[in-house]
């Protein structure tokens, strides 16, 4: 699983705040079941040893400067008190992503800057509407995976069931018009009756061949109590 992963107890709106910046967040428990959502100092050291990406630590509201120093010395990339607004947490994560290069998702000829919400294919900028961007970003978070209509409607529109409209087809058609049709081979493929997948390379494409894909690093936000 790729993306920004969250360990948190009391920030139900943070994922939406990150999404507004183009940063997709998912519960870390999905990647690491049983992980302590509130690690102590020893747990933080263990998490840092295991976790390959960014680690932001939320401290209790009454934490001292010494607590922040211990968190940073323990391996955190940033530490902030629990009173920090979601918008500021999201901005700090965005700044870290920009500095580390983890803001950019590179898949063959496709480049997505999740902080600036900028998309290019083979160096050509694509002017995507917000929902088209969210749809492409979800495909890019699951490269090569077959994504059903239900999965796309849930991830991009938040719909638990198919509303029986053509909303997905309309947005897919618009996305393909911008992403695929100006180029010599498509990135979004249809598996009839099953779903869709993003394929960023094509054998025998010749001069249209894609660059090797680059793995996207992940980030963690941990709540220290």
């Amino acid at each position: 699983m790729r993306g920004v992963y969250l360990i948190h107890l009391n920030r139900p709106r943070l994922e939406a705040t990150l999404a507004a910046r183009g940063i997709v967040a998912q519960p870390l428990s999905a990647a690491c079941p049983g992980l302590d959502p509130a690690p102590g100092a020893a747990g933080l050291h263990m998490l840092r040893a295991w976790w390959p990406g960014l680690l932001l630590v939320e401290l209790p509201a009454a934490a001292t400067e010494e607590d922040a120093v211990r968190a940073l010395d323990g391996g955190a990339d940033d530490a902030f008190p629990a009173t920090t607004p979601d918008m500021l947490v999201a901005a700090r994560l965005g700044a870290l992503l920009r500095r580390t290069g983890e803001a950019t998702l590179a898949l063959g000829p496709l480049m997505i800057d999740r902080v600036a919400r900028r998309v290019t294919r083979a160096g050509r900028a694509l002017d995507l509407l917000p929902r088209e961007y969210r749809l492409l970003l979800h495909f890019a978070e699951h490269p090569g995976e077959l994504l059903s209509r239900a999965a796309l409607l849930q991830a991009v529109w938040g719909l638990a069931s198919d509303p029986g409209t053509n909303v997905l087809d309309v947005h897919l058609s618009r996305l393909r018009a911008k992403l695929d049709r100006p180029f010599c081979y498509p990135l979004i493929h249809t598996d009839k009756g099953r779903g869709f997948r993003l394929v960023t390379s094509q054998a025998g494409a010749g001069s249209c061949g894609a660059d090797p894909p680059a793995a996207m690093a992940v980030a963690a936000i941990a709540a220290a109590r």
Side-chain angles (χ1 to χ4, degrees), residues 34-128:
L35 185 65
D36 184 357
L44 180 58
H45 279 282
M46 292 179 63
L47 180 60
R48 177 72 283 172
W50 169 78
W51 193 251
L54 294 176
L55 177 61
L56 280 70
V57 174
E58 180 187 74
L59 302 167
T64 64
E65 290 183 1
E66 288 75 15
D67 293 324
V69 169
R70 279 193 292 270
L72 293 169
D73 286 345
D77 294 291
D78 193 9
F80 52 88
T83 52
T84 306
D86 287 348
M87 290 181 64
L88 182 53
V89 174
R92 293 173 80 144
L93 176 56
L96 282 169
L97 288 169
R98 285 195 300 273
R99 287 199 297 272
T100 60
E102 292 172 7
T104 301
L105 173 56
L107 296 167
L110 184 65
M111 299 284 290
I112 302 177
D113 184 330
R114 295 178 297 152
V115 175
R117 300 174 73 99
R118 184 181 301 112
V119 180
T120 62
R121 176 174 176 179
R124 180 186 296 182
L126 306 180
D127 184 17
L128 302 182

Side-chain angles (χ1 to χ4, degrees), residues 45-224:
H45 279 282
M46 292 179 63
L47 180 60
R48 177 72 283 172
W50 169 78
W51 193 251
L54 294 176
L55 177 61
L56 280 70
V57 174
E58 180 187 74
L59 302 167
T64 64
E65 290 183 1
E66 288 75 15
D67 293 324
V69 169
R70 279 193 292 270
L72 293 169
D73 286 345
D77 294 291
D78 193 9
F80 52 88
T83 52
T84 306
D86 287 348
M87 290 181 64
L88 182 53
V89 174
R92 293 173 80 144
L93 176 56
L96 282 169
L97 288 169
R98 285 195 300 273
R99 287 199 297 272
T100 60
E102 292 172 7
T104 301
L105 173 56
L107 296 167
L110 184 65
M111 299 284 290
I112 302 177
D113 184 330
R114 295 178 297 152
V115 175
R117 300 174 73 99
R118 184 181 301 112
V119 180
T120 62
R121 176 174 176 179
R124 180 186 296 182
L126 306 180
D127 184 17
L128 302 182
L129 296 175
R131 196 73 71 173
E132 296 163 1
Y133 172 82
R134 291 290 303 277
L135 187 58
L136 177 59
L137 185 61
H138 189 69
F139 274 114
E141 292 285 342
H142 304 81
E145 293 183 30
L146 180 67
L147 301 177
S148 67
R149 295 179 64 89
L152 291 170
L153 288 168
Q154 172 66 45
V156 180
W157 282 269
L159 298 174
S161 59
D162 193 332
T165 68
N166 66 342
V167 61
L168 175 59
D169 303 281
V170 168
H171 282 82
L172 266 175
S173 177
R174 291 174 179 169
L175 176 59
R176 279 172 156 158
K178 298 175 181 180
L179 179 67
D180 289 340
R181 291 174 191 168
F183 299 92
C184 57
Y185 68 93
L187 298 186
I188 296 179
H189 296 247
T190 301
D191 190 333
K192 192 171 181 179
R194 299 181 63 203
F196 312 88
R197 71 177 79 238
L198 179 72
V199 180
T200 56
S201 65
Q202 180 164 325
S207 61
C208 296
D211 297 329
M216 181 181 67
V218 297
I221 297 180

